[in-house]
Amino acid sequence: MKMNSKLFTAVLGLFLTSSLLAQDAISYQMPPKAIADLLLAKPTPSVSIDSKANWILLSERNSYPTVEELGQPEIRIAGLRLNPNNYSPSRQTYVNNFVLKNIQTKQVATISGLPTTILASNISWNTSETKIAFTNTNATNINLYVIDIATKKAVKINKQAVNTVLGSAFIWLDDQTILYKSAIQPANMVPKKSITPKGPTIQQNLGKAAPSATYQDLIKSPYDEQLFEFYASTQLIQNKNGIETLVGKPCLLASFSTSPDKKYLLQRIIKKPFSYLVTAYGFPATIAITDLKGSIVKIVAELPSSEGTPSGNDNTQNVPRLFDWRDDEAATITWAMPLDSGLIKNKMEFHDAVFSLSAPFTGNPTQLFKTQMRYAGTSWGNATLALVQEVLRSKQLSRISRFNSTTNIVEKLYERNQTDAYNDPGTPVTSKNQYGRPVVLTTNNGSKLLMNNFIGSSAKGDLPFLAKFDLSSKQNEIIWRCAEGVYEYVTEVLDANKLLVITRKESQKDVPNYYLKNILQPNTDIALTNFGNPYPALDGVSKQKVAYKRADGVDLTGDLYLPSGYNKEKDGPLPILMWAYPREFNNAADAAQVRGSQSRFTTISWASPIFYVTQGYAVLDNAEFPIVAASADKKPNDNFVAQLEMNAAAGINKLTAMGVGDKNRVAVGGHSYGAFMTANLLAHTNLFKAGIARSGAYNRTLTPFGFQNEDRTYWQAPNLYFEMSPFSYADKIKTPILLIHGDTDDNPGTFPINSERLYNAIKGNGGTVRFVFLPYEAHSYRGKENLLHMLWEQNQWLEKYVKNAK
């Protein structure tokens, strides 16, 4: 049968159009100029101030690396992503310049001797704060530099290339001496992969339960094992004023730290066999104490692979954990051991015990105390005061107790639900002791703690505060609180008696800057920095924290942004972009608490939805989406989808009632768990015109041993996993959805296959969907071209399906 030319042309055109719709291969696009300018604005420098308030180190960064920079060589093994050419983690964010500023004279000093191309990280002051060390990365190695504050000069001090593959690159031993991990061989000596393997890769399990999170980039073959051993092997080196001495022998050194008296090292050394199920930090390891020459003084523990860790938020391996030095003694290590075999369900009065062992480490360990919940660490003060933290994640509980090591008495100071922000007393302020270690600071002759709450949640929004916690009455007395209309918090306590502090202050119109403040003398603040506004395109944009209720009476809030010059009476209701991230709560009272402050200066990261206020949208950012347990015997996720709908409907109704939002033109979006939320909302409701879902997990069976705060496994609650998975209802997703994912997502649980399979499922069921796969991007996106294109995609989607929706 012959086809006439007109019919052939029509069929061909239809075919080409369908192909284009199925796979739209386009080059990088640019969003509107206002959006691009906001993204590419130069970031405000990060600030580090010495404890005497003499010097400020300003660390400047460029905006975003190019995709070409992201595309440099990378290997992925043992849960790590490495640059194979220089023994470093790949695709890092670096500092690109340093500036020193004298606080007294206000003079800005240029630092000489810095590398021509600065890609700095691991910035660390020495104990006396006269020098600053940092690592600098280049194409073939990593070097260690030290800035001398007095001379304003930087000098490269290492003779061997630094190895940062496993982190913990270096530490100050004293003001002149640094210990660092060096590479053993040139990177080009890496073992070559044989074309013909010696045999298949085989894993097996002989009847022992070994649940595991869904980690990415794991070891998959014997050759991967060779690569890991090659890149992770290090030689510890002592460098004193440029003179280097080897410390011990080469090994797979995961971490190391010095005792307070600087006479011993606590080392975690990885050993074989390497696991194919967990990351390097879960590999078998030896915990050892050595002297400064690297000679073994004491083998503290031989730890197995973490493969056998039981699932569940409060469960742990039945082995010692949390090894650390006691900061208030010369050379004492501490660690915890479960008393319940690592299973929190085992009924007993105490679940953990904490032990110590002091130099010369020849005696038997001493039991210091036991905890009724899971031990989470200790902040040391002195012989009569240490603050012990214990938690129960499954119940969202946290407890702080006082431990007196002279009497071995543990006394509860306070306990709260971790989601109860209003009753958070703050974090104890520390000061350096005779060993130069941070220890808990007391005031009023040792009777009170000085507490710093950086957030200060309240019914009026976040109002950070400084307080004194009475150790006898267990009452927290606020002695200073941020004024309403601004957002100010204490970054450093310089003098606890005179209450001389450094604060960071901002408002809706004032850029965050640092101030020297005497709390006892109001209105005497001295500005330490004078950063300008990096976002002039947002001038005139209004921001307010709006409050509303959902159908079951739970109070909610969100941050509402309206375009510059917007007039409700003149311009009418706007299209809405709602952006959120669900959180679990065990009770409605905590879920209803106000979070955030409308008095903060608006800053924008690549992930923000605020870009679109410049395009005429009402943006409801940080819309509260609590998922609340219905009763004490229920879990928050038992009615997850219904609560999502209530949260969304309440926000839409609020903006509609205010007259600023058009309920018929609403988009919803989110990243990660927010993307999971978005897909569920589009599958189960008709509230939205479109959705934007970035780097989400859409099929919960791919995370069968739990996700977020859900600790039930798939086999314990198969219906829950099915019903919470938007993939299960892909045939119901008819609202247009834009899926975006990084092709190298490194987050456990959000494998790129989630978006690939959801796209295929929606497409197969006739839905409207577009899938954007960003090259070289992990869970958090970084490449400049990718980010600009992502913003363009989002803008196009919103313009077509929301603002100009039929």
Side-chain angles (χ1 to χ4, degrees):
M1 175 180 174
K2 294 185 72 175
M3 184 181 294
N4 67 49
S5 59
K6 288 185 178 180
L7 180 60
F8 176 80
T9 302
V11 171
L12 179 61
L14 179 62
F15 172 76
L16 292 174
T17 302
S18 300
S19 299
L20 181 63
L21 291 173
Q23 187 170 342
D24 192 1
I26 61 174
S27 60
Y28 283 119
Q29 300 294 307
M30 285 288 289
K33 184 178 184 302
I35 292 178
D37 288 347
L38 288 172
L39 177 78
L40 300 178
K42 187 173 177 61
T44 299
S46 59
V47 173
S48 178
I49 304 175
D50 70 4
S51 61
K52 303 180 186 66
N54 290 328
W55 290 97
I56 300 176
L57 178 70
L58 300 173
S59 301
E60 300 176 351
R61 293 180 295 110
N62 298 330
S63 53
Y64 296 99
T66 64
V67 169
E68 181 181 4
E69 290 176 84
L70 292 188
Q72 296 306 302
E74 180 181 69
I75 60 170
R76 304 171 196 168
I77 46 171
L80 307 170
R81 295 188 171 185
L82 310 174
N83 185 326
N85 298 326
N86 61 12
Y87 289 97
S88 76
S90 57
R91 303 178 188 172
Q92 299 181 77
T93 298
Y94 296 107
V95 169
N96 303 109
N97 192 34
F98 292 111
V99 174
L100 276 170
K101 181 179 179 180
N102 187 293
I103 292 176
Q104 307 303 322
T105 65
K106 298 185 179 180
Q107 296 296 311
V108 175
T110 301
I111 302 169
S112 64
L114 290 171
T116 303
T117 301
I118 303 175
L119 298 173
S121 53
N122 303 303
I123 301 162
S124 175
W125 297 71
N126 67 354
T127 303
S128 64
E129 298 175 320
T130 58
K131 296 181 178 181
I132 303 168
F134 67 91
T135 57
N136 195 71
T137 302
N138 59 47
T140 58
N141 57 37
I142 301 172
N143 291 313
L144 185 57
Y145 283 78
V146 171
I147 300 171
D148 188 299
I149 304 295
T151 64
K152 321 297 185 300
K153 184 178 181 180
V155 176
K156 184 178 86 72
I157 66 166
N158 61 300
K159 292 182 171 59
Q160 303 297 320
V162 180
N163 185 330
T164 63
V165 163
L166 291 174
S168 303
F170 70 89
I171 54 175
W172 286 97
L173 185 62
D174 57 44
D175 283 342
Q176 309 299 326
T177 309
I178 285 179
L179 294 176
Y180 74 91
K181 293 194 293 188
S182 72
I184 296 174
Q185 303 179 69
N188 60 13
M189 296 294 290
V190 63
K192 303 301 180 184
K193 185 175 183 178
S194 173
I195 296 176
T196 305
K198 294 180 180 179
T201 298
I202 298 172
Q203 301 181 58
Q204 68 175 357
N205 187 63
L206 302 177
K208 183 179 179 180
S212 175
T214 50
Y215 297 114
Q216 306 210 41
D217 307 326
L218 300 178
I219 286 179
K220 298 181 178 68
S221 68
Y223 178 65
D224 282 353
E225 295 186 52
Q226 287 183 277
L227 287 180
F228 173 73
E229 187 169 12
F230 176 84
Y231 286 111
S233 295
T234 62
Q235 169 66 60
L236 195 59
I237 291 178
Q238 180 183 119
N239 183 301
K240 183 167 186 175
N241 293 324
I243 299 174
E244 297 196 336
T245 307
L246 301 184
V247 177
K249 297 179 180 179
C251 63
L252 299 172
L253 184 58
S255 63
F256 65 104
S257 61
T258 61
S259 59
D261 65 1
K262 312 292 180 151
K263 294 182 179 179
Y264 301 96
L265 296 175
L266 178 62
Q267 301 189 37
R268 184 185 184 100
I269 303 168
I270 292 173
K271 60 182 184 179
K272 295 180 177 180
F274 303 144
S275 172
Y276 285 43
L277 195 62
V278 297
T279 69
Y281 302 103
F283 288 0
T286 297
I287 306 298
I289 298 172
T290 71
D291 59 23
L292 295 185
K293 295 182 179 179
S295 300
I296 298 290
V297 174
K298 174 76 174 180
I299 299 295
V300 182
E302 296 286 359
L303 301 179
S305 164
S306 65
E307 285 184 14
T309 304
S311 62
N313 288 334
D314 297 310
N315 293 330
T316 186
Q317 267 189 296
N318 191 27
V319 298
R321 70 183 197 281
L322 296 177
F323 298 89
D324 202 0
W325 294 105
R326 182 168 169 167
D327 293 316
D328 63 333
E329 293 189 355
T332 299
I333 60 164
T334 62
W335 66 91
M337 185 71 191
L339 300 174
D340 55 9
S341 300
L343 300 172
I344 202 73
K345 69 179 181 181
N346 291 337
K347 302 297 183 184
M348 50 210 322
E349 182 179 5
F350 297 102
H351 287 274
D352 279 344
V354 175
F355 298 87
S356 72
L357 184 64
S358 299
F361 311 107
T362 53
N364 293 320
T366 300
Q367 180 177 293
L368 297 179
F369 53 82
K370 295 184 287 188
T371 61
Q372 294 179 320
M373 297 191 281
R374 193 62 77 201
Y375 174 69
T378 300
S379 298
W380 298 98
N382 53 46
T384 63
L385 174 66
L387 301 179
V388 177
Q389 182 180 18
E390 46 190 308
V391 298
L392 273 181
R393 283 188 61 197
S394 59
K395 297 185 181 298
Q396 298 179 328
L397 287 177
S398 175
R399 176 187 296 171
I400 299 293
S401 302
R402 175 183 184 174
F403 171 62
N404 185 327
S405 57
T406 64
T407 62
N408 290 330
I409 293 176
V410 177
E411 175 189 11
K412 184 173 77 172
L413 295 179
Y414 55 88
E415 180 176 312
R416 70 180 184 92
N417 196 304
Q418 292 171 322
T419 58
D420 178 10
Y422 288 0
N423 288 305
D424 182 358
T427 302
V429 174
T430 62
S431 62
K432 291 181 181 178
N433 64 5
Q434 70 269 34
Y435 302 115
R437 309 284 277 224
V439 294
V440 176
L441 172 71
T442 59
T443 64
N444 297 73
N445 297 317
S447 65
K448 297 181 179 181
L449 305 175
L450 191 60
M451 307 289 282
N452 187 10
N453 193 315
F454 303 93
I455 299 176
S457 298
S458 77
K460 295 181 179 180
D462 291 349
L463 296 170
F465 62 79
L466 204 62
K468 288 188 176 182
F469 184 91
D470 192 302
L471 291 167
S472 297
S473 69
K474 302 180 178 59
Q475 297 299 307
N476 210 36
E477 176 194 3
I478 295 177
I479 59 175
W480 170 83
R481 187 156 208 161
C482 164
E484 293 181 35
V486 298
Y487 185 83
E488 182 177 20
Y489 64 91
V490 174
T491 64
E492 184 80 27
V493 176
L494 302 176
D495 190 318
N497 295 318
K498 296 179 180 178
L499 291 178
L500 187 65
V501 301
I502 293 173
T503 67
R504 184 180 187 269
K505 183 167 62 175
E506 61 190 285
S507 71
Q508 278 200 26
K509 295 184 178 180
D510 298 315
V511 177
N513 274 291
Y514 291 79
Y515 296 83
L516 184 63
K517 186 184 196 77
N518 190 321
I519 288 175
L520 300 177
Q521 299 177 14
N523 303 317
T524 59
D525 296 6
I526 299 173
L528 302 179
T529 60
N530 185 29
F531 300 130
N533 181 5
Y535 307 117
L538 293 181
D539 286 347
V541 169
S542 69
K543 172 188 176 182
Q544 68 178 110
K545 184 164 283 295
V546 293
Y548 46 98
K549 284 183 184 292
R550 73 184 196 185
D552 61 355
V554 175
D555 291 315
L556 305 175
T557 60
D559 295 328
L560 174 62
Y561 296 85
L562 296 173
S564 177
Y566 171 70
N567 183 292
K568 179 170 62 175
E569 285 71 28
K570 176 185 173 184
D571 301 323
L574 301 171
I576 300 169
L577 174 58
M578 178 184 291
W579 204 265
Y581 189 96
R583 295 181 60 200
E584 297 93 338
F585 294 85
N586 284 333
N587 64 80
D590 288 356
Q593 291 183 356
V594 178
R595 291 169 178 81
S597 168
Q598 72 174 22
S599 299
R600 301 201 70 167
F601 183 79
T602 299
T603 57
I604 293 190
S605 75
W606 65 268
S608 174
I610 303 172
F611 291 102
Y612 300 100
V613 76
T614 67
Q615 304 304 303
Y617 292 84
V619 177
L620 187 63
D621 192 16
N622 300 316
E624 292 290 346
F625 265 65
I627 308 299
V628 186
S631 60
D633 61 339
K634 298 290 185 181
K635 298 269 191 175
N637 286 335
D638 288 347
N639 60 340
F640 178 80
V641 172
Q643 294 194 65
L644 287 185
E645 183 171 4
M646 283 195 292
N647 293 325
I652 295 171
N653 292 338
K654 174 62 177 180
L655 270 58
T656 301
M658 292 174 64
V660 300
D662 181 351
K663 68 178 182 180
N664 295 314
R665 294 186 297 162
V666 186
V668 63
H671 190 89
S672 194
Y673 208 52
F676 173 68
M677 168 204 76
T678 297
N680 265 304
L681 283 168
L682 299 194
H684 297 284
T685 78
N686 294 310
L687 295 170
F688 302 98
K689 284 293 185 184
I692 299 171
R694 293 195 316 239
S695 297
Y698 308 114
N699 185 344
R700 296 276 49 133
T701 66
L702 298 178
T703 53
F705 290 104
F707 54 92
Q708 295 295 106
N709 286 318
E710 179 56 65
D711 58 2
R712 291 170 289 188
T713 70
Y714 167 76
W715 298 276
Q716 293 169 329
N719 290 337
L720 176 84
Y721 276 69
F722 178 88
E723 291 168 2
M724 286 186 67
S725 298
F727 181 83
S728 303
Y729 303 93
D731 60 326
K732 308 297 183 185
I733 300 178
K734 302 304 180 184
T735 302
I737 183 170
L738 174 64
L739 299 173
I740 304 175
H741 219 118
D743 70 357
T744 57
D745 193 324
D746 55 349
N747 183 54
T750 55
F751 285 75
I753 195 174
N754 278 277
S755 290
E756 295 176 48
R757 293 295 180 263
L758 184 61
Y759 169 76
N760 289 337
I762 296 173
K763 177 184 175 183
N765 283 283
T768 300
V769 59
R770 182 177 175 90
F771 177 31
V772 180
F773 218 19
L774 298 175
Y776 307 121
E777 296 294 359
H779 194 59
S780 179
Y781 312 157
R782 296 180 57 232
K784 179 169 62 177
E785 297 92 334
N786 282 335
L787 295 176
L788 289 166
H789 185 86
M790 177 201 77
L791 293 169
W792 176 82
E793 290 277 1
Q794 293 177 167
N795 187 63
Q796 293 291 106
W797 202 253
L798 294 171
E799 292 290 302
K800 181 176 182 178
Y801 292 110
V802 182
K803 181 187 285 186
N804 301 307
K806 295 180 181 178

Coordinates of all heavy atoms in Angstrom, one line a residue, residues 102-139:
N102 N 41.5 43.8 61.5 CA 41.8 44.1 62.9 C 40.6 44.8 63.5 O 40.2 45.9 63.0 CB 43.1 45.0 63.0 CG 43.5 45.2 64.4 OD1 42.8 45.8 65.2 ND2 44.6 44.6 64.8
I103 N 40.0 44.3 64.5 CA 38.8 44.8 65.1 C 39.1 46.2 65.8 O 38.3 47.1 65.7 CB 38.2 43.8 66.1 CG1 37.7 42.6 65.3 CG2 37.1 44.5 66.9 CD1 37.1 41.5 66.2
Q104 N 40.3 46.3 66.4 CA 40.6 47.6 67.1 C 40.8 48.7 66.2 O 40.3 49.8 66.3 CB 41.8 47.3 68.0 CG 41.7 46.1 69.0 CD 40.5 46.2 69.9 OE1 40.1 47.3 70.3 NE2 39.9 45.0 70.1
T105 N 41.6 48.5 65.1 CA 42.0 49.5 64.2 C 41.1 49.6 63.0 O 41.1 50.6 62.3 CB 43.4 49.3 63.7 OG1 43.5 48.1 62.9 CG2 44.4 49.2 64.8
K106 N 40.3 48.6 62.8 CA 39.4 48.4 61.6 C 40.1 48.4 60.3 O 39.5 48.6 59.2 CB 38.4 49.6 61.6 CG 37.5 49.6 62.9 CD 36.4 50.7 62.8 CE 35.5 50.6 64.0 NZ 34.4 51.7 64.0
Q107 N 41.4 48.1 60.4 CA 42.2 48.0 59.2 C 42.1 46.6 58.6 O 42.1 45.6 59.3 CB 43.7 48.3 59.5 CG 44.0 49.7 59.9 CD 43.7 50.7 58.9 OE1 44.1 50.6 57.7 NE2 43.0 51.8 59.2
V108 N 41.9 46.6 57.3 CA 41.8 45.3 56.5 C 43.2 44.9 56.0 O 43.9 45.8 55.3 CB 40.8 45.4 55.4 CG1 40.8 44.1 54.6 CG2 39.4 45.6 56.0
A109 N 43.7 43.8 56.3 CA 45.0 43.3 55.9 C 45.0 42.3 54.8 O 44.2 41.4 54.8 CB 45.8 42.8 57.1
T110 N 45.8 42.5 53.7 CA 45.9 41.5 52.7 C 46.9 40.5 53.1 O 48.0 40.8 53.7 CB 46.4 42.2 51.4 OG1 45.5 43.2 51.0 CG2 46.6 41.2 50.3
I111 N 46.6 39.3 52.9 CA 47.5 38.2 53.3 C 48.4 37.8 52.1 O 48.0 37.5 51.0 CB 46.7 36.9 53.8 CG1 45.8 37.3 54.9 CG2 47.6 35.8 54.2 CD1 44.8 36.3 55.2
S112 N 49.7 37.9 52.3 CA 50.7 37.5 51.3 C 51.0 36.0 51.4 O 50.7 35.3 52.4 CB 52.0 38.3 51.5 OG 52.6 37.9 52.7
G113 N 51.5 35.5 50.3 CA 51.9 34.0 50.3 C 50.8 33.1 50.0 O 51.0 31.8 50.0
L114 N 49.6 33.5 49.8 CA 48.5 32.6 49.5 C 48.7 32.0 48.2 O 49.3 32.6 47.3 CB 47.1 33.4 49.5 CG 46.6 33.8 50.9 CD1 45.4 34.7 50.7 CD2 46.3 32.7 51.8
P115 N 48.2 30.8 48.0 CA 48.3 30.1 46.6 C 47.7 30.9 45.6 O 46.7 31.7 45.8 CB 47.7 28.8 46.8 CG 46.8 28.9 48.1 CD 47.5 29.9 48.9
T116 N 48.2 30.8 44.3 CA 47.6 31.6 43.2 C 46.1 31.3 43.0 O 45.3 32.2 42.8 CB 48.4 31.3 41.9 OG1 49.8 31.5 42.1 CG2 47.9 32.1 40.8
T117 N 45.8 30.0 43.0 CA 44.4 29.6 43.0 C 44.0 29.1 44.3 O 44.6 28.0 44.8 CB 44.2 28.5 41.9 OG1 44.6 29.0 40.6 CG2 42.7 28.1 41.8
I118 N 43.1 29.7 45.0 CA 42.7 29.3 46.3 C 41.5 28.5 46.3 O 40.4 28.9 45.9 CB 42.5 30.6 47.2 CG1 43.7 31.5 47.3 CG2 42.1 30.1 48.6 CD1 43.5 32.8 48.0
L119 N 41.6 27.2 46.7 CA 40.5 26.3 46.9 C 40.7 25.7 48.3 O 41.2 24.6 48.5 CB 40.6 25.2 45.8 CG 40.4 25.6 44.4 CD1 40.6 24.5 43.4 CD2 39.0 26.2 44.1
A120 N 40.3 26.5 49.3 CA 40.7 26.2 50.7 C 39.5 25.6 51.4 O 38.4 25.8 51.1 CB 41.1 27.5 51.4
S121 N 39.9 24.8 52.4 CA 38.9 24.1 53.3 C 39.7 23.7 54.6 O 40.9 24.0 54.7 CB 38.3 22.9 52.6 OG 39.2 22.0 52.2
N122 N 38.9 23.1 55.5 CA 39.5 22.7 56.8 C 40.2 23.8 57.5 O 41.4 23.6 58.0 CB 40.5 21.5 56.6 CG 39.8 20.3 55.8 OD1 38.8 19.8 56.3 ND2 40.3 19.9 54.7
I123 N 39.6 24.9 57.7 CA 40.2 26.1 58.3 C 40.2 25.9 59.8 O 39.2 25.6 60.4 CB 39.4 27.4 57.9 CG1 39.5 27.5 56.4 CG2 40.0 28.6 58.6 CD1 38.4 28.4 55.9
S124 N 41.4 26.2 60.5 CA 41.5 25.9 61.9 C 42.5 26.8 62.6 O 43.6 26.9 62.1 CB 41.9 24.4 62.1 OG 42.2 24.2 63.5
W125 N 42.1 27.5 63.6 CA 43.0 28.4 64.4 C 43.8 27.5 65.4 O 43.3 26.4 65.9 CB 42.2 29.4 65.3 CG 41.4 30.4 64.5 CD1 40.2 30.1 63.8 CD2 41.6 31.8 64.5 NE1 39.7 31.3 63.3 CE2 40.5 32.3 63.7 CE3 42.6 32.6 65.0 CZ2 40.5 33.7 63.4 CZ3 42.5 34.0 64.7 CH2 41.5 34.5 63.9
N126 N 45.0 27.9 65.7 CA 45.7 27.2 66.8 C 45.2 27.6 68.1 O 44.4 28.5 68.3 CB 47.2 27.4 66.6 CG 47.7 28.9 66.9 OD1 46.8 29.8 67.1 ND2 49.0 29.1 66.9
T127 N 45.7 27.0 69.2 CA 45.1 27.2 70.5 C 45.2 28.7 71.0 O 44.3 29.2 71.6 CB 45.8 26.3 71.5 OG1 45.7 24.9 71.1 CG2 45.2 26.4 72.9
S128 N 46.4 29.3 70.8 CA 46.6 30.7 71.2 C 46.0 31.7 70.2 O 46.1 32.9 70.4 CB 48.0 31.0 71.5 OG 48.8 30.8 70.3
E129 N 45.5 31.2 69.1 CA 44.8 32.0 68.1 C 45.8 33.0 67.5 O 45.5 34.2 67.2 CB 43.6 32.7 68.6 CG 42.5 31.7 69.1 CD 41.3 32.4 69.8 OE1 41.6 33.4 70.5 OE2 40.2 32.0 69.5
T130 N 47.0 32.6 67.2 CA 48.0 33.4 66.6 C 48.3 32.9 65.1 O 48.9 33.7 64.4 CB 49.4 33.3 67.3 OG1 49.8 32.0 67.4 CG2 49.2 33.9 68.7
K131 N 47.7 31.8 64.8 CA 47.9 31.2 63.5 C 46.7 30.5 63.0 O 45.9 30.0 63.8 CB 49.1 30.2 63.4 CG 50.5 30.9 63.7 CD 51.6 29.9 63.7 CE 52.9 30.5 63.9 NZ 54.1 29.6 63.9
I132 N 46.5 30.4 61.7 CA 45.3 29.8 61.1 C 45.8 28.8 60.0 O 46.6 29.2 59.1 CB 44.4 30.8 60.5 CG1 43.9 31.8 61.5 CG2 43.2 30.1 59.8 CD1 43.2 33.0 60.9
A133 N 45.5 27.5 60.1 CA 45.9 26.5 59.1 C 44.7 26.2 58.2 O 43.5 26.3 58.6 CB 46.3 25.3 59.8
F134 N 45.0 25.9 57.0 CA 44.0 25.4 56.0 C 44.6 24.5 55.0 O 45.8 24.6 54.7 CB 43.3 26.6 55.4 CG 44.1 27.4 54.5 CD1 44.2 27.1 53.1 CD2 44.8 28.5 55.0 CE1 45.0 27.9 52.3 CE2 45.6 29.3 54.1 CZ 45.7 29.0 52.8
T135 N 43.8 23.7 54.4 CA 44.2 22.9 53.3 C 43.8 23.6 52.0 O 42.8 24.2 51.9 CB 43.6 21.4 53.3 OG1 42.2 21.5 53.3 CG2 44.1 20.7 54.5
N136 N 44.7 23.4 50.9 CA 44.4 24.0 49.6 C 44.5 22.9 48.6 O 45.5 22.2 48.5 CB 45.3 25.1 49.3 CG 44.8 25.9 48.1 OD1 43.8 26.7 48.3 ND2 45.5 25.8 47.0
T137 N 43.5 22.8 47.8 CA 43.4 21.7 46.8 C 43.7 22.2 45.4 O 43.3 23.2 45.0 CB 41.9 21.1 46.8 OG1 41.6 20.6 48.1 CG2 41.8 20.0 45.8
N138 N 44.6 21.4 44.7 CA 44.8 21.7 43.3 C 44.6 20.4 42.5 O 44.1 19.4 43.0 CB 46.2 22.3 43.1 CG 47.3 21.4 43.6 OD1 47.3 20.2 43.3 ND2 48.3 22.0 44.3
A139 N 45.0 20.4 41.3 CA 44.6 19.3 40.4 C 45.3 18.0 40.8 O 44.7 16.9 40.6 CB 45.1 19.7 38.9

